[in-house]
Amino acid sequence: MRASRLLFATLRETPGDAEVISHQLMLRAGMIRKLATGLYTWLPLGVRVLNKVAAIIREEMNKSAMEVLMPVTQPIELWEESGRAQAYGPELLRFRDRHDRPFVLGPTHEEVITDLARQELKSYKQLPVNFYQVQTKFRDEIRPRFGVMRSREFIMKDAYSFHANQASLEETYQGMYDTYHAIFNRLGLNFRAVQADTGSIGGNGSHEFHVLADSGEDDIAFSTESDFAANVEMAEAVVKGTRPAATQALQVVETPNAKTIAEVAALLNVDPSQTVKTLLVRGVADEDGKYSLVALVLRGDHELNDIKAEKLEQVAAPLTFASEDEVKALGLEAGSIGPQGLSIPVIVDRAASVLADFVAGANQAGKHVTGLNWERDAQITLVADIRNVVNGDPSPDGKGIINIKRGIEVGHIFQLGQKYSEALNCKVLGEDGKPFVVTMGCYGIGVTRVVAAAIEQNFDDKGIIWPQSIAPFEVAIVPMNQAKSPRAVAAAEELYSELLAAGFDVLLDDRNERPGVKFSDLELIGVPHRIVVSERGIDAGTFEYKGRRDAEARELNKADLLVVLKG
Amino acid sequence: MRASRLLFATLRETPGDAEVISHQLMLRAGMIRKLATGLYTWLPLGVRVLNKVAAIIREEMNKSAMEVLMPVTQPIELWEESGRAQAYGPELLRFRDRHDRPFVLGPTHEEVITDLARQELKSYKQLPVNFYQVQTKFRDEIRPRFGVMRSREFIMKDAYSFHANQASLEETYQGMYDTYHAIFNRLGLNFRAVQADTGSIGGNGSHEFHVLADSGEDDIAFSTESDFAANVEMAEAVVKGTRPAATQALQVVETPNAKTIAEVAALLNVDPSQTVKTLLVRGVADEDGKYSLVALVLRGDHELNDIKAEKLEQVAAPLTFASEDEVKALGLEAGSIGPQGLSIPVIVDRAASVLADFVAGANQAGKHVTGLNWERDAQITLVADIRNVVNGDPSPDGKGIINIKRGIEVGHIFQLGQKYSEALNCKVLGEDGKPFVVTMGCYGIGVTRVVAAAIEQNFDDKGIIWPQSIAPFEVAIVPMNQAKSPRAVAAAEELYSELLAAGFDVLLDDRNERPGVKFSDLELIGVPHRIVVSERGIDAGTFEYKGRRDAEARELNKADLLVVLKG
């Protein structure tokens, strides 16, 4: 495309109301403009990226699923059948048509597709089947923000599969897991498939797909050596090695004014990892609502994971810390509690359980003990995984170590089971001639969100750095001294035709602007390859090439240039 | 694609509530299913067609316009600014979000794009510019019908151009006129660009694009020899030749009980084209509201065109026929009025004005005259075009004759002028440094409607007959005796791979069904080319080929087959 015919809507200043980098850069690069809160118009540059993302998703989905297109507007009756009309809350936008019939703007399409399936699917022979669409959705967020990252109107690729049994669901689920890897790889993104809790959609078994970026909202723990990845809250914390033998004698030391682990460790000149903290929480209540306390012991440098603790049969859920009075009733004082000599169950985290000669509270105000050793000095009721994983932990699958990064959720695959098919009575005839309720899976990708996430992962202080597969243009050609050099213009035009013919998506920057302005714009909008055509280069038989991540430009002849562009 | 992996949702019976053939066939072929009144889910087969239509539109639009994507939901404030919040009526669906802010579901996007333009366009140097989108729209029709032909939710390609002046608008308008020809030609449709009234959107200058089909709602008059085409109501009626000399004497004849032109002509044994009818209508009123009558004279076989008559300065608008009392006050009687001896203006249609020796009412009850001749027997106040064109009329551009067919409107291009830019104060700086209001054009294509219109134009009693460019599959391969002939299956697979590699969109019908069922399905869904692979053919080195419009199949060798498939 010729830049003179493109709406360049680049901004020099960062708009004040854009909090995250992708929102700022999408506005500055002229990709989007706000129409109203949480509603954005995609400008030509943005649509080019959006269309490329959607095309890659379609190509990969078409290998195993069929594209359909469901209405944005849905009759509310279906949501009443599934029970979500009540459950979904005010994010579900409701309206009435001119005949006063109630509808919703679809935030998701489980009900509509299940309604379709119960009409069209008659026999187990038609299963499994997987339908997808790429479509506009609406979620009436109370506080839309971060541009298209959390907008009210957005584009989703949503897929729904139907199965005769759980085994078939699992097979398709694995297929979608692989398809998602193919998609995000082709999108050129650094991502992780993460074991996830299923949240409100329900079901049993799900993965989130996260684009790794420092600005992400979620902490992802993944292995350096395998494809293990999980939300930090979900990742199993394992421990390497066994407990060493005791070498020190137990000793009570004065630790006045040392309240925190850090203060105690500093005072006693030990690493926090050589200390433990002992937390008192409520145990499960009996029939009369009475409960006793439970001690949870973790290494001083570790954090309690509430979800894991709540899952223990000894511990009350939701997790509730002992009150000051309850602690005092046991003759203890917060700040100096230790696991030794306690009359309540002592549940010890795996990592704390392999310590020897460690530091703990002395169960006396203002005092700690050193040289504490399990069994000799303190008894363990149960060893359990009750902490968050940390960088450097062994990966639970035994391969590599844990690395924690922030991620942006861009995809989610679910094993839905029979939640919707049961509610909407979606049955087909089985091999035995009897009707049975089908089993479902669902698979989403936030298409508009992917664009923002790609930017959050790929930018510098000059602007966006697109992966080549989704860049608005793969290559930009800038004729040098355009106004006065017909030779440079002619050579640029020739290269433009040649690269177009070779299948590249090329921008010829023929705007009547200074080269500096063009260079800044091209860096801001993130074109991966920039080629400058000048008289000097023509004479030397070379082109000035600069990759978007390169610090310096370099001279390349045509053959080398083509090799570089193909990447 | 393998048919075993496609949702074949073909129906043998025609659904009862589908009135038009495209709706019936889209349901029967398994292209769409109704979700609620005026809301349809597109099934896999339908989406394939829809995507092909959209892709062709995008390819042609991209040559001169930039794709954008505006939200479906729009703040009502913009509609209040343009005045359409009031003017649009109940087809504009309004709703409130969770914060009680009023929005609409966009039926069209003039306001949103003009709002964008007033923010992004600063200078005449950025003009002309043309933005388009392919997007879901909503119009709350009081009585949605005909399937996707008149649904509530539908997909439009809408484009909006911005200009410094009328000349620039006209240039882009002509460009879009040509682009639309390119699009509808590539879609394989028989269509006409029709001069149109601009209707409610306003402006000066517009064409409708109609797909010709017997079921169309509009009558289109077009030339057999040129690209002249107009709505019948808009087409100029011209007359060939001049009035012959009188040869008969004026004679009064008794015509008791002959009330209609047909009855009079039969009684007198003349052709209705040799008679005239004289209609009395109100003339324009004076300041006191008083008016006299005007006589309109047309050939007996012609129809008055109200719009043309109303445009005459002698005639009152809206056109109002004289009452019985008014007729009697002139001493006349309905059924026997003639133009001779009238005391009121006599406005004669061009075709009636060149008659000689014709029949008219005698201005005496139960009597007519024969051998009537203008000037000798009756005076003409004015000759004017006041009738509808008919088949066989000369084309007004002088080339060929008029042919009238029914059309389905699938596209519309408008010269909007400054209606929206004025209302929304969309100004840019001119060459003189002063801001001026921009001039706009808009250009729509009903993407979902095109699919239905293509069917209305191309079907037979077996089903749909797709133009190859938008067929869900271009070619279907059926292995004969699939269950028992591994040779046929292998040869079919080989041909399948070969045709896919050659770039054809191929369906391999590997379903476990009888050939008869497959053949009916393939005809119903309208695949243009069918190839049967059988042992007999393998031995003879041929394939059984049948084009969708062919009466009989024929045997072709591979080379000939490829020639036929390329069309």
Side-chain angles (χ1 to χ4, degrees):
Chain A
M1 184 170 201
R2 289 169 195 279
S4 57
R5 283 185 33 208
L6 179 72
L7 178 77
F8 258 90
T10 51
L11 308 174
R12 294 287 155 247
E13 304 296 323
T14 299
D17 61 342
E19 296 168 59
V20 296
I21 194 74
S22 59
H23 189 193
Q24 293 168 6
L25 286 174
M26 289 181 80
L27 289 168
R28 284 192 53 208
M31 292 180 64
I32 55 168
R33 285 297 181 262
K34 180 171 154 180
L35 171 63
T37 306
L39 299 177
Y40 291 88
T41 291
W42 288 72
L43 300 186
L45 206 73
V47 168
R48 294 182 74 90
V49 177
L50 200 54
N51 284 352
K52 288 188 184 186
V53 171
I56 287 172
I57 292 174
R58 279 198 168 93
E59 278 176 35
E60 295 300 324
M61 288 301 296
N62 283 344
K63 292 178 181 170
S64 66
M66 284 180 277
E67 186 173 356
V68 296
L69 184 62
M70 294 177 260
V72 175
T73 45
Q74 308 177 4
I76 206 165
E77 285 83 355
L78 290 176
W79 288 71
E80 279 160 359
E81 246 186 292
S82 74
R84 287 208 293 181
Q86 284 69 46
Y88 208 92
E91 285 186 8
L92 182 66
L93 194 137
R94 298 140 206 260
F95 66 90
R96 288 176 174 269
D97 72 3
R98 66 190 292 170
H99 301 298
D100 206 33
R101 286 180 296 231
F103 286 83
V104 303
L105 282 187
T108 173
H109 279 70
E110 280 82 3
E111 284 83 358
V112 176
I113 197 75
T114 308
D115 176 57
L116 181 76
R118 69 182 168 184
Q119 291 172 60
E120 298 304 320
L121 302 178
K122 317 284 184 200
S123 156
Y124 73 97
K125 290 181 194 164
Q126 292 172 280
L127 305 180
V129 67
N130 193 359
F131 299 110
Y132 82 94
Q133 63 177 350
V134 176
Q135 196 235 23
T136 300
K137 306 238 181 285
F138 194 94
R139 196 176 293 158
D140 203 0
E141 299 272 358
I142 189 160
R143 199 165 80 84
R145 63 207 139 119
F146 308 152
V148 298
M149 191 86 89
R150 193 176 292 276
S151 54
R152 295 201 284 177
E153 197 173 312
F154 54 99
I155 298 175
M156 281 275 290
K157 185 285 295 173
D158 47 330
Y160 307 90
S161 66
F162 296 86
H163 306 272
N165 51 49
Q166 176 66 19
S168 166
L169 168 59
E170 283 169 15
E171 195 178 323
T172 294
Y173 183 86
Q174 181 61 43
M176 280 292 107
Y177 181 92
D178 296 340
T179 295
Y180 274 42
H181 275 79
I183 288 170
F184 291 113
N185 278 325
R186 283 189 60 190
L187 293 174
L189 299 174
N190 184 10
F191 71 97
R192 288 291 183 286
V194 174
Q195 294 169 12
D197 221 324
T198 49
S200 64
I201 296 196
N204 39 33
S206 93
H207 283 84
E208 293 169 1
F209 286 75
H210 285 258
V211 167
L212 301 183
D214 293 341
S215 58
E217 291 183 298
D218 297 297
D219 280 320
I220 310 303
F222 59 94
S223 164
T224 51
E225 313 259 315
S226 73
D227 64 1
F228 170 82
N231 261 312
V232 160
E233 292 71 28
M234 298 285 292
E236 183 184 2
V238 295
V239 71
K240 222 169 23 193
T242 51
R243 188 191 311 152
T247 64
Q248 300 176 4
L250 184 68
Q251 196 178 339
V252 176
V253 292
E254 298 282 336
T255 52
N257 307 324
K259 301 284 184 197
T260 65
I261 291 287
E263 287 164 357
V264 171
L267 184 69
L268 300 180
N269 198 26
V270 297
D271 193 86
S273 66
Q274 203 53 33
T275 71
V276 302
K277 53 188 169 192
T278 304
L279 308 168
L280 301 187
V281 300
R282 291 187 186 177
V284 287
D286 65 14
E287 289 164 356
D288 301 330
K290 287 188 181 164
Y291 57 87
S292 58
L293 297 182
V294 174
L296 304 177
V297 183
L298 296 111
R299 246 171 51 182
D301 60 333
H302 284 159
E303 272 179 24
L304 178 67
N305 181 309
D306 292 12
I307 299 164
K308 291 177 178 178
E310 284 171 1
K311 283 188 181 154
L312 294 174
E313 60 178 23
Q314 292 87 347
V315 175
L319 193 75
T320 311
F321 286 92
S323 67
E324 211 168 310
D325 289 346
E326 287 172 337
V327 173
K328 283 198 171 141
L330 286 178
L332 301 174
E333 190 165 331
S336 66
I337 306 173
Q340 61 280 23
L342 293 182
S343 59
I344 56 175
V346 176
I347 299 178
V348 183
D349 181 65
R350 290 168 175 174
S353 77
V354 296
L355 291 178
D357 303 332
F358 54 96
V359 171
N363 291 333
Q364 302 171 42
K367 294 181 183 170
H368 279 74
V369 292
T370 63
L372 189 69
N373 280 279
W374 295 117
E375 294 180 15
R376 186 189 74 184
D377 310 317
Q379 302 312 309
I380 295 177
T381 310
L382 179 74
V383 173
D385 172 18
I386 54 172
R387 69 174 172 97
N388 287 331
V389 290
V390 294
N391 271 320
D393 273 341
S395 177
D397 66 353
K399 297 169 194 156
I401 59 167
I402 287 291
N403 200 336
I404 296 177
K405 293 211 171 168
R406 294 198 151 256
I408 300 167
E409 187 191 334
V410 289
H412 206 151
I413 59 178
F414 290 98
Q415 294 182 26
L416 278 177
Q418 301 185 316
K419 178 176 160 74
Y420 295 93
S421 49
E422 189 90 63
L424 274 78
N425 198 29
C426 178
K427 291 180 177 173
V428 301
L429 291 183
E431 218 168 337
D432 58 3
K434 290 180 187 158
F436 68 91
V437 173
V438 301
T439 295
M440 291 172 60
C442 76
Y443 319 92
I445 293 178
V447 181
T448 37
R449 193 164 224 243
V450 159
V451 177
I455 296 173
E456 293 288 341
Q457 185 178 82
N458 301 281
F459 68 93
D460 61 15
D461 55 357
K462 292 171 188 154
I464 305 167
I465 308 175
W466 289 113
Q468 187 158 343
S469 62
I470 60 173
F473 300 97
E474 293 176 287
V475 188
I477 301 174
V478 181
M480 207 63 188
N481 204 4
Q482 181 174 291
K484 294 178 188 165
S485 173
R487 278 180 77 208
V489 169
E493 290 278 353
E494 191 188 324
L495 182 65
Y496 177 54
S497 304
E498 205 171 322
L499 293 181
L500 285 179
F504 290 103
D505 192 0
V506 193
L507 181 72
L508 176 65
D509 199 343
D510 58 347
R511 290 179 296 157
N512 184 22
E513 295 280 4
R514 287 179 296 109
V517 170
K518 294 184 182 183
F519 293 168
S520 311
D521 276 351
L522 295 174
E523 282 170 335
L524 176 56
I525 71 173
V527 181
H529 306 286
R530 187 189 82 194
I531 304 167
V532 177
V533 179
S534 66
E535 301 245 350
R536 193 169 46 82
I538 296 170
D539 293 337
T542 59
F543 299 92
E544 185 196 292
Y545 169 83
K546 186 166 182 296
R548 178 63 182 83
R549 289 184 191 273
D550 297 348
E552 300 291 336
R554 53 193 159 136
E555 298 293 321
L556 292 176
N557 64 32
K558 177 81 65 68
D560 290 344
L561 182 67
L562 286 172
V563 170
V564 169
L565 297 185
K566 278 171 189 156
Chain B
M1 185 172 201
R2 288 169 195 278
S4 57
R5 282 186 34 208
L6 179 72
L7 178 76
F8 259 91
T10 52
L11 307 173
R12 294 286 154 247
E13 304 296 323
T14 300
D17 61 344
E19 297 169 58
V20 295
I21 194 75
S22 59
H23 190 192
Q24 292 169 5
L25 286 174
M26 288 180 81
L27 288 168
R28 283 192 55 209
M31 292 181 65
I32 55 168
R33 285 296 182 264
K34 180 172 155 179
L35 172 63
T37 306
L39 299 177
Y40 292 87
T41 291
W42 289 72
L43 301 187
L45 207 72
V47 168
R48 295 181 74 89
V49 177
L50 200 54
N51 284 353
K52 288 187 182 185
V53 171
I56 288 173
I57 292 173
R58 279 197 168 95
E59 277 176 36
E60 294 299 325
M61 289 301 296
N62 282 344
K63 292 177 181 170
S64 66
M66 285 180 277
E67 187 173 355
V68 298
L69 184 62
M70 293 176 262
V72 176
T73 45
Q74 309 176 2
I76 206 166
E77 286 82 355
L78 290 176
W79 287 71
E80 280 160 0
E81 246 185 293
S82 74
R84 287 208 293 182
Q86 285 69 47
Y88 208 94
E91 284 186 8
L92 182 65
L93 194 138
R94 297 139 207 261
F95 66 90
R96 288 176 174 270
D97 73 1
R98 65 190 293 171
H99 302 297
D100 206 33
R101 286 181 296 232
F103 286 84
V104 305
L105 281 188
T108 172
H109 280 69
E110 280 82 5
E111 284 83 359
V112 176
I113 197 77
T114 308
D115 176 56
L116 181 76
R118 69 182 168 184
Q119 292 172 60
E120 298 304 319
L121 302 179
K122 318 284 185 201
S123 159
Y124 74 97
K125 290 183 196 164
Q126 291 172 282
L127 305 179
V129 68
N130 193 359
F131 300 109
Y132 82 94
Q133 62 177 351
V134 176
Q135 194 234 25
T136 300
K137 306 238 179 287
F138 193 93
R139 195 176 293 160
D140 203 0
E141 299 271 358
I142 189 160
R143 200 166 80 82
R145 64 208 137 120
F146 306 152
V148 298
M149 190 86 88
R150 193 176 291 276
S151 54
R152 295 201 283 177
E153 197 174 312
F154 54 99
I155 297 176
M156 281 276 287
K157 186 285 296 174
D158 47 331
Y160 307 90
S161 66
F162 296 85
H163 307 271
N165 51 49
Q166 176 67 18
S168 167
L169 167 59
E170 282 169 18
E171 193 179 323
T172 294
Y173 183 85
Q174 181 61 43
M176 279 292 107
Y177 181 92
D178 296 339
T179 296
Y180 274 43
H181 275 78
I183 289 170
F184 291 114
N185 278 325
R186 283 188 62 189
L187 293 174
L189 299 174
N190 184 11
F191 71 98
R192 287 293 182 287
V194 174
Q195 293 169 13
D197 223 323
T198 50
S200 64
I201 294 196
N204 39 31
S206 94
H207 282 85
E208 294 169 1
F209 286 76
H210 284 259
V211 167
L212 301 183
D214 293 340
S215 57
E217 289 184 298
D218 297 296
D219 280 322
I220 310 303
F222 58 93
S223 164
T224 51
E225 312 260 313
S226 73
D227 64 0
F228 171 82
N231 262 312
V232 161
E233 291 72 26
M234 297 284 293
E236 183 184 1
V238 296
V239 70
K240 222 168 24 191
T242 51
R243 188 191 310 152
T247 64
Q248 299 177 6
L250 183 69
Q251 196 179 339
V252 176
V253 294
E254 298 282 336
T255 50
N257 306 324
K259 302 283 183 198
T260 65
I261 291 288
E263 286 164 356
V264 171
L267 183 68
L268 301 180
N269 197 27
V270 298
D271 192 86
S273 67
Q274 204 53 32
T275 70
V276 302
K277 51 189 170 193
T278 304
L279 309 168
L280 302 187
V281 301
R282 292 188 187 177
V284 287
D286 64 15
E287 289 164 356
D288 300 332
K290 287 188 182 164
Y291 57 86
S292 60
L293 297 183
V294 174
L296 303 177
V297 183
L298 296 113
R299 243 169 55 179
D301 58 334
H302 284 160
E303 272 177 26
L304 179 67
N305 180 310
D306 293 11
I307 299 165
K308 291 178 178 177
E310 285 171 3
K311 284 189 182 155
L312 295 174
E313 61 179 24
Q314 293 87 347
V315 175
L319 193 75
T320 311
F321 285 93
S323 68
E324 211 168 309
D325 288 346
E326 288 171 335
V327 173
K328 285 199 170 136
L330 285 178
L332 301 173
E333 190 164 330
S336 65
I337 306 174
Q340 62 280 23
L342 294 182
S343 59
I344 56 175
V346 176
I347 298 178
V348 182
D349 180 67
R350 290 167 175 173
S353 76
V354 295
L355 290 180
D357 303 332
F358 55 96
V359 171
N363 293 332
Q364 301 170 44
K367 293 180 183 172
H368 278 73
V369 293
T370 64
L372 188 68
N373 280 279
W374 294 116
E375 295 180 15
R376 187 191 73 183
D377 310 319
Q379 303 313 310
I380 294 177
T381 310
L382 180 75
V383 173
D385 172 17
I386 55 173
R387 70 173 172 97
N388 286 333
V389 290
V390 295
N391 270 321
D393 273 341
S395 176
D397 65 353
K399 297 171 194 155
I401 59 168
I402 288 291
N403 200 337
I404 297 178
K405 294 211 169 167
R406 295 198 150 257
I408 300 166
E409 188 191 334
V410 289
H412 206 153
I413 60 178
F414 290 97
Q415 294 182 26
L416 277 177
Q418 301 185 318
K419 179 175 157 76
Y420 294 94
S421 48
E422 190 90 63
L424 275 77
N425 198 29
C426 179
K427 292 180 177 173
V428 302
L429 291 183
E431 223 169 333
D432 58 3
K434 290 180 186 160
F436 68 91
V437 173
V438 301
T439 295
M440 292 173 58
C442 76
Y443 318 93
I445 292 178
V447 181
T448 38
R449 194 165 223 241
V450 159
V451 177
I455 296 173
E456 292 288 341
Q457 185 177 82
N458 300 283
F459 68 92
D460 63 13
D461 57 356
K462 292 172 188 154
I464 305 167
I465 308 176
W466 289 112
Q468 187 158 342
S469 62
I470 59 174
F473 301 96
E474 294 176 284
V475 188
I477 301 173
V478 181
M480 206 64 187
N481 204 4
Q482 180 174 295
K484 294 178 189 164
S485 171
R487 276 181 78 208
V489 170
E493 291 277 352
E494 192 188 322
L495 182 65
Y496 177 55
S497 305
E498 207 170 323
L499 293 181
L500 285 179
F504 290 103
D505 191 2
V506 193
L507 181 72
L508 176 65
D509 199 344
D510 59 346
R511 290 178 298 159
N512 185 22
E513 295 280 4
R514 287 178 298 108
V517 170
K518 294 184 182 183
F519 293 168
S520 315
D521 276 350
L522 296 173
E523 283 169 334
L524 176 56
I525 71 174
V527 181
H529 305 286
R530 187 189 83 195
I531 305 167
V532 177
V533 180
S534 65
E535 301 245 350
R536 191 169 46 81
I538 296 170
D539 292 338
T542 60
F543 299 92
E544 185 196 293
Y545 168 83
K546 188 166 180 294
R548 178 62 182 81
R549 289 184 191 273
D550 298 346
E552 300 291 337
R554 54 194 158 132
E555 298 293 321
L556 293 177
N557 64 32
K558 176 82 64 70
D560 291 342
L561 182 66
L562 286 173
V563 170
V564 170
L565 296 185
K566 278 171 191 158

